[in-house]
Amino acid sequence: MSYFTIEGRRPLKGEITISGAKNSGLKLMVASLLSKEPLILHNVPNIADIHTMCNLLTTLGKTVTKGADTHSLIIEGPVTSIEAPYDIVSQMRASILVLGPLLARSGEAKVSLPGGCAIGTRPVDLHLKGLEILGAEIELENGYINAKAPRGLAGGRITLPFASVGATENLLMAACLARGTTEIINAAREPEIADLVQCLNAMGARITGEHTGNLTIEGVESLHGAEYSVMPDRIECGTYACAAAITGGDLLLKGGRLLDQEAVMIALQKMGANVSEDEQGLRVSASQNLVGIDLMTEPYPGFPTDMQAQFMALFAVAEGASMITETIFENRFMHVPELNRMGANINIQGRSAIIRGVPRLSGAPVMATDLRASFSLILAGLVAEGTTILNRVYHLDRGYEGVERKLANCGASIKRIEEAA
Ligand code: UD1
């Protein structure tokens, strides 16, 4: 297992190129199940979750090869298996997204139930109820979802009680090949949904309404191949924006887009950071002490839960008190005890965390618990006095490409140490 050592208190200055979005790339890869023709994807991040998705698609019969450059993939060929096995789904929850496309294409699917995860119970009831409205027969047996649609799926009107990102994506992909028209009311509006819609439309789907929260999908007989470039990762961009702000640095985040993440950039500005956008990307700097603010996580366009942990690190050293209320996941404060071990003053009260800013943090051995929480500990390490040792960096490798390279290029002192197994 590898770990990071970080020497803090160096302002980050320079440029970081933002990779393709994990949360979009994974779904675009799944869309390949809807056609046997080649789907050529560009700007795919080189991260562990993408490798896991390659593995899952290969298990289902698809051929995945490298494209013209290291961030391109070609996915093609027929689906030859309808089973997403436990050993892959348990590594990555996003595997559940193959359910809708497999069902739509093959008339049946067997997908392991993902179960809980570090940040909460995360049920998939909305995915299943929506597929039932499209005519699927679903049974849960031996830890698997067995879904059948022997006569194919038929369009329907699905109202989501909560704008779940995953349920929207699963139903959207299934509805592309259903007979007739499907409406998804209260669909998620995250930018990754629009990216998926654009890719599916490039494959011949007929979907409208991707920015409105109400999606209309006119089913088509079949989809064809396409070539598409994954959108930039707004969460990676927001995370490095936090790195600039917390170290009093100045970073150009190449490829970053304000439009995908206004809530995050407005929060940084309210704290005293400078944010501007030009044709190259976003520039974020901080020349004064940050001040604390209150935040609540919400579905897009609200403040994203995937940026909550990173802002917690910022608040830990900001002037005054801040409060974060987490409304999306019930157990997403596992970074708090680790930040407190570095000298932060954070109290959890139910779904809220009260953070009283301290003048400085001190380096310590800490443990990563999930993807975004890991980066909050890196941010704390970048501003702390002394050495921070971050264990379990495999969490980071799931979703951030080249973390130590990107940070070290901008002046951070961060090293990956590979421990012998
Ligand atoms: C996706 C993102 C994740 C992000 C989250 C919220 C990917 C791979 N992951 O996760 O990074 O944090 O959106 O922006 O894109 N829920 C139910 N029943 C369901 C589905 C969801 O109760 O059937 C609940 C979940 O338990 C959770 C909330 O809804 O509390 C949000 O989940 P959802 O929007 O579905 O997130 P994911 O798609 O899993």
Side-chain angles (χ1 to χ4, degrees):
M1 258 200 280
S2 35
Y3 61 92
F4 281 156
T5 62
I6 305 161
E7 304 289 336
R9 304 203 73 74
R10 294 166 196 231
L12 297 190
K13 294 211 158 81
E15 295 178 2
I16 292 180
T17 299
I18 301 306
S19 297
K22 169 180 93 73
N23 285 356
S24 178
L26 288 173
K27 326 303 169 59
L28 301 185
M29 291 172 74
V30 173
S32 71
L33 293 170
L34 293 166
S35 167
K36 66 174 186 312
E37 292 181 17
L39 177 64
I40 303 172
L41 295 175
H42 300 290
N43 202 32
V44 182
N46 189 5
I47 52 176
D49 272 10
I50 294 287
H51 303 155
T52 306
M53 185 56 82
C54 288
N55 188 9
L56 176 56
L57 293 176
T58 309
T59 304
L60 298 174
K62 303 292 287 188
T63 305
V64 185
T65 44
K66 286 245 175 278
D69 62 63
T70 50
H71 291 99
S72 298
L73 287 179
I74 305 166
I75 312 171
E76 60 197 321
V79 169
T80 56
S81 160
I82 50 107
E83 179 172 341
Y86 172 74
D87 61 334
I88 303 183
V89 180
S90 58
Q91 281 173 48
M92 184 180 68
R93 288 186 50 86
S95 309
I96 183 74
L97 292 169
V98 303
L99 178 63
L102 282 179
L103 196 53
R105 189 81 199 294
S106 309
E108 58 179 328
K110 180 173 178 181
V111 177
S112 171
L113 276 164
C117 74
I119 61 175
T121 49
R122 297 180 86 174
V124 291
D125 53 320
L126 304 177
H127 303 233
L128 304 187
K129 281 184 193 138
L131 289 171
E132 281 174 341
I133 291 172
L134 299 183
E137 294 159 18
I138 295 180
E139 280 175 12
L140 303 183
E141 205 178 22
N142 306 118
Y144 275 79
I145 304 162
N146 291 321
K148 286 202 173 82
R151 291 173 302 283
L153 295 172
R157 185 180 163 93
I158 303 164
T159 303
L160 292 175
F162 176 84
S164 154
V165 174
T168 301
E169 293 163 336
N170 226 334
L171 298 170
L172 178 61
M173 287 191 276
C176 286
L177 296 182
R179 285 186 309 280
T181 302
T182 299
E183 283 178 282
I184 308 177
I185 313 296
N186 194 31
R189 284 186 285 161
E190 269 67 6
E192 292 77 14
I193 302 281
D195 217 31
L196 177 61
V197 167
Q198 280 158 28
C199 179
L200 289 167
N201 282 347
M203 295 171 73
R206 302 182 66 186
I207 308 164
T208 53
E210 64 269 31
H211 299 291
T212 66
N214 290 331
L215 291 165
T216 304
I217 305 114
E218 280 178 54
V220 294
E221 276 289 309
S222 62
L223 296 186
H224 50 71
E227 189 163 354
Y228 194 83
S229 191
V230 180
M231 65 177 278
D233 196 316
R234 65 191 166 104
I235 305 298
E236 189 197 26
C237 180
T239 301
Y240 286 121
C242 290
I246 204 168
T247 61
D250 184 352
L251 291 179
L252 172 63
L253 306 168
K254 288 175 87 174
R257 304 190 303 206
L258 189 55
L259 130 143
D260 295 334
Q261 50 197 332
E262 281 186 13
V264 169
M265 295 303 154
I266 288 171
L268 281 173
Q269 283 172 324
K270 280 193 192 156
M271 294 184 72
N274 311 306
V275 178
S276 59
E277 186 177 33
D278 64 23
E279 65 288 346
Q280 290 197 80
L282 289 179
R283 181 175 283 281
V284 179
S285 65
S287 47
Q288 61 197 49
N289 286 350
L290 300 174
V291 292
I293 58 168
D294 293 347
L295 279 180
M296 184 185 282
T297 62
E298 287 171 306
Y300 188 85
F303 186 89
T305 176
D306 284 352
M307 286 300 303
Q308 179 257 104
Q310 300 88 317
F311 269 72
M312 190 88 79
L314 254 56
F315 292 159
V317 291
E319 278 175 18
S322 310
M323 181 162 84
I324 297 183
T325 304
E326 171 60 63
T327 73
I328 309 292
F329 291 110
E330 75 271 23
N331 186 26
R332 212 173 187 178
F333 284 142
M334 281 169 313
H335 39 288
V336 168
E338 299 301 290
L339 289 171
N340 282 346
R341 293 184 58 253
M342 297 178 71
N345 180 353
I346 308 172
N347 284 298
I348 301 172
Q349 306 278 343
R351 287 202 151 202
S352 297
I354 320 290
I355 306 107
R356 295 183 177 84
V358 295
R360 57 193 69 245
L361 297 175
S362 58
V366 285
M367 185 122 35
T369 49
D370 72 60
L371 174 58
R372 309 302 171 186
S374 319
F375 219 115
S376 74
L377 302 175
I378 292 192
L379 293 172
L382 289 173
V383 75
E385 275 178 357
T387 309
T388 295
I389 296 173
L390 177 65
N391 292 294
R392 301 196 178 174
V393 296
Y394 56 82
H395 286 294
L396 273 171
D397 294 334
R398 288 188 55 181
Y400 288 95
E401 177 174 338
V403 180
E404 66 274 34
R405 169 178 50 81
K406 290 187 182 187
L407 286 171
N409 281 346
C410 297
S413 170
I414 177 167
K415 283 200 191 82
R416 180 187 291 259
I417 315 284
E418 302 285 353
E419 257 182 343

